[in-house]
Amino acid sequence: MCRIDDRKGRRIKWEMGMKFVGEEGVYKNNGYLMVSCNGGLNQMRAAICDMVAIARYLNVTLIVPELDRTSFWADPSEFKDIFDVDHFITSLRDEVRILKELPPRLKRRVQLGMFHSLAPISWSDISYYHHQILPLLQKHKVVHLNRTDARLANNGLPLEIQKLRCRVNFSALRFTSQIEELGRKVVRILRQNGPFLVLHLRYEMDMLAFSGCTHGCNNEEVEELTRMRYAYPWWKEKVIDSDFKRKEGLCPLTPEETALILHAFSIDRNVQIYIAAGEIYGGERRLASLAAAFPNLVRKEKLLAPSDLMFFQNHSSQMAALDYLVSLESDIFVPTYDGNMAKVVEGFKKTILLDRKLLVDLIDQYHNGLLSWEEFSSTVKEVHVDRMGSSKQRVVVSDRPKEEDYFHANPHECLQTLDEAMRIT
């Protein structure tokens, strides 16, 4: 049994339930698995965890994953630029064989196109990989999975697989020393001034264009966001009713809405609020109401010298890694949308999970004079009493996996409170 303590003091453990794959006579290499991750940092992070588990189950050699360079952010970062690649390989050597690159002979085969590439079926259980992917590996020797997001089921998997996903996430995927040190520096600066709340404010250009959410935007901005949505052919939804999506709770809260909600929660206006996000669409103009309500609004660019961030500019995933590290140390974490970072962090932080559908209705009633401030504030607090992030049994929807609770947001198989862990020790 191996244990580590998470950043909140709770103990994360996993059982070493599978045989040591490096033992002579035990490990059988069934082929080589190459993977190309897609999406932002935390989407890729979760996918890497899944791919390690799949490689382990199939007894194949995993090649260090390739990160997405073609997304909206066009980040050229490689795996080794974000994660400690040597630690990744050595910390998992008792579970799965990982190489930085293919052996020369197989590399030549790939260059000649002698391999099989495919996108696995989303939310597949492990039997799919055994019956569909393993035969391809045995036939072609090298298989390339060209999409990795949500390719492994949330539920119904062997306990050892679930625990390995956690081991990768909480232990093996360590950021580079440069990112870790800068993250600690940001946290030190924040802690010098007391507690801090991390606001994962998803009011970013790509998110608004993708979701079709334009509440609060002027006509020129609406046109710009629409053009962007049509410019990306793999964004399948083009014609979107923004008002309908907002009323259904399917839009990220605007900065103005967020300011109102935090005030309704009676958050101290002098508390430090660290914005974990990319560039906010509309810039300082859209942040004005939030900054007026909470004057201690800070970002990494404000806390650090330009020289600190020099090597991180135009590397969105490395900047997101900093935000992730700061979020893990926060006293309160508030995501305004269901992004991948929100899902990963909320599993073990004090998180306010906003009911956006209810909140936008309350906000509209308040703005239309149908609710007093006291009625608005008390209702916001009342409906969120039981919406604080904590480890619990996930919701399982066997025929609609998209609607299930996300595994990496709530890996209850892997998380234990410190008290529970101490009783075992």
Side-chain angles (χ1 to χ4, degrees), residues 57-174:
Y57 183 81
L58 298 180
N59 270 353
V60 298
T61 298
L62 177 68
I63 306 304
V64 169
E66 178 185 60
L67 303 187
D68 192 346
R69 302 182 191 180
T70 62
S71 66
F72 164 79
W73 306 278
D75 188 340
S77 299
E78 297 180 4
F79 188 101
K80 63 181 176 61
D81 298 320
I82 299 173
F83 301 109
D84 184 336
V85 65
D86 292 324
H87 174 77
F88 176 68
I89 293 171
T90 58
S91 65
L92 292 169
R93 63 187 175 190
D94 61 343
E95 294 284 2
V96 62
R97 184 186 183 209
I98 304 174
L99 298 178
K100 293 181 181 179
E101 58 183 16
L102 285 167
R105 178 179 58 84
L106 291 174
K107 188 183 294 186
R108 286 192 294 273
R109 286 172 59 95
V110 169
Q111 291 169 347
L112 293 171
M114 299 170 64
F115 69 102
H116 191 84
S117 183
L118 76 159
I121 297 173
S122 299
W123 293 289
S124 296
D125 63 26
I126 207 69
S127 66
Y128 162 80
Y129 288 92
H130 180 77
H131 294 296
Q132 301 295 324
I133 305 301
L134 183 56
L136 293 174
L137 283 156
Q138 292 170 331
K139 177 180 178 180
H140 298 280
K141 303 303 178 186
V142 179
V143 167
H144 173 224
L145 302 184
N146 54 39
R147 289 185 69 86
T148 58
D149 60 317
R151 303 294 148 164
L152 188 59
N154 293 305
N155 302 293
L157 300 177
L159 186 59
E160 291 83 2
I161 293 294
Q162 300 290 54
K163 289 180 178 292
L164 181 54
R165 292 167 100 174
C166 291
R167 179 176 178 181
V168 181
N169 187 40
F170 292 112
S171 179
L173 281 178
R174 187 168 69 189

Side-chain angles (χ1 to χ4, degrees), residues 104-354:
R105 178 179 58 84
L106 291 174
K107 188 183 294 186
R108 286 192 294 273
R109 286 172 59 95
V110 169
Q111 291 169 347
L112 293 171
M114 299 170 64
F115 69 102
H116 191 84
S117 183
L118 76 159
I121 297 173
S122 299
W123 293 289
S124 296
D125 63 26
I126 207 69
S127 66
Y128 162 80
Y129 288 92
H130 180 77
H131 294 296
Q132 301 295 324
I133 305 301
L134 183 56
L136 293 174
L137 283 156
Q138 292 170 331
K139 177 180 178 180
H140 298 280
K141 303 303 178 186
V142 179
V143 167
H144 173 224
L145 302 184
N146 54 39
R147 289 185 69 86
T148 58
D149 60 317
R151 303 294 148 164
L152 188 59
N154 293 305
N155 302 293
L157 300 177
L159 186 59
E160 291 83 2
I161 293 294
Q162 300 290 54
K163 289 180 178 292
L164 181 54
R165 292 167 100 174
C166 291
R167 179 176 178 181
V168 181
N169 187 40
F170 292 112
S171 179
L173 281 178
R174 187 168 69 189
F175 294 122
T176 65
S177 59
Q178 184 182 23
I179 294 174
E180 291 274 351
E181 288 168 10
L182 200 54
R184 286 192 291 268
K185 182 174 182 178
V186 173
V187 171
R188 281 198 306 271
I189 294 171
L190 288 166
R191 285 278 175 232
Q192 288 172 359
N193 296 312
F196 66 93
L197 178 153
V198 167
L199 179 64
H200 191 36
L201 188 62
R202 295 308 312 277
Y203 204 76
E204 301 150 318
M205 185 178 185
D206 63 302
M207 178 54 65
L208 299 179
F210 175 78
S211 63
C213 297
T214 57
H215 185 69
C217 295
N218 57 39
N219 290 336
E220 183 180 338
E221 290 170 333
V222 171
E223 291 176 5
E224 181 180 42
L225 294 171
T226 303
R227 285 196 303 271
M228 181 180 178
R229 185 163 66 252
Y230 277 88
Y232 288 86
W234 52 89
W235 291 358
K236 296 180 181 179
E237 193 176 13
K238 302 299 182 184
V239 180
I240 299 176
D241 184 335
S242 176
D243 289 337
F244 174 79
K245 288 200 74 171
R246 176 177 175 269
K247 289 177 181 178
E248 288 297 304
L250 300 175
C251 289
L253 295 181
T254 68
E256 297 86 357
E257 291 169 338
T258 302
L260 198 63
I261 295 305
L262 293 179
H263 184 36
F265 276 121
S266 298
I267 300 293
D268 185 345
R269 77 180 305 270
N270 293 313
V271 73
Q272 296 175 100
I273 295 183
Y274 176 92
I275 296 182
E279 184 177 352
I280 301 304
Y281 192 59
E284 297 303 318
R285 173 178 61 85
R286 294 305 303 270
L287 284 171
S289 59
L290 185 59
F294 298 94
N296 289 328
L297 206 63
V298 296
R299 302 188 65 168
K300 51 188 170 293
E301 294 86 352
K302 182 177 179 180
L303 296 174
L304 297 169
S307 58
D308 288 326
L309 291 171
M310 180 172 58
F311 296 105
F312 295 81
Q313 297 299 331
N314 302 317
H315 293 81
S316 61
S317 290
Q318 296 181 49
M319 297 288 260
L322 285 177
D323 284 340
Y324 175 80
L325 290 172
V326 177
S327 298
L328 291 181
E329 297 290 349
S330 64
D331 296 286
I332 303 175
F333 179 69
V334 182
T336 61
Y337 195 61
D338 300 326
N340 285 287
M341 188 173 92
K343 292 174 180 176
V344 174
V345 174
E346 74 187 35
F348 58 102
K349 292 304 300 179
K350 182 178 181 181
T351 303
I352 301 177
L353 300 173
L354 301 177

Side-chain angles (χ1 to χ4, degrees), residues 410-424:
N410 183 20
H412 62 80
E413 297 94 331
C414 314
L415 293 172
Q416 288 189 319
T417 64
L418 184 59
D419 290 342
E420 289 173 333
M422 290 301 290
R423 286 199 292 270
I424 301 172

Side-chain angles (χ1 to χ4, degrees), residues 396-404:
V396 178
V397 187
S398 57
D399 58 337
R400 297 190 303 278
K402 276 189 177 182
E403 299 177 21
E404 291 185 329

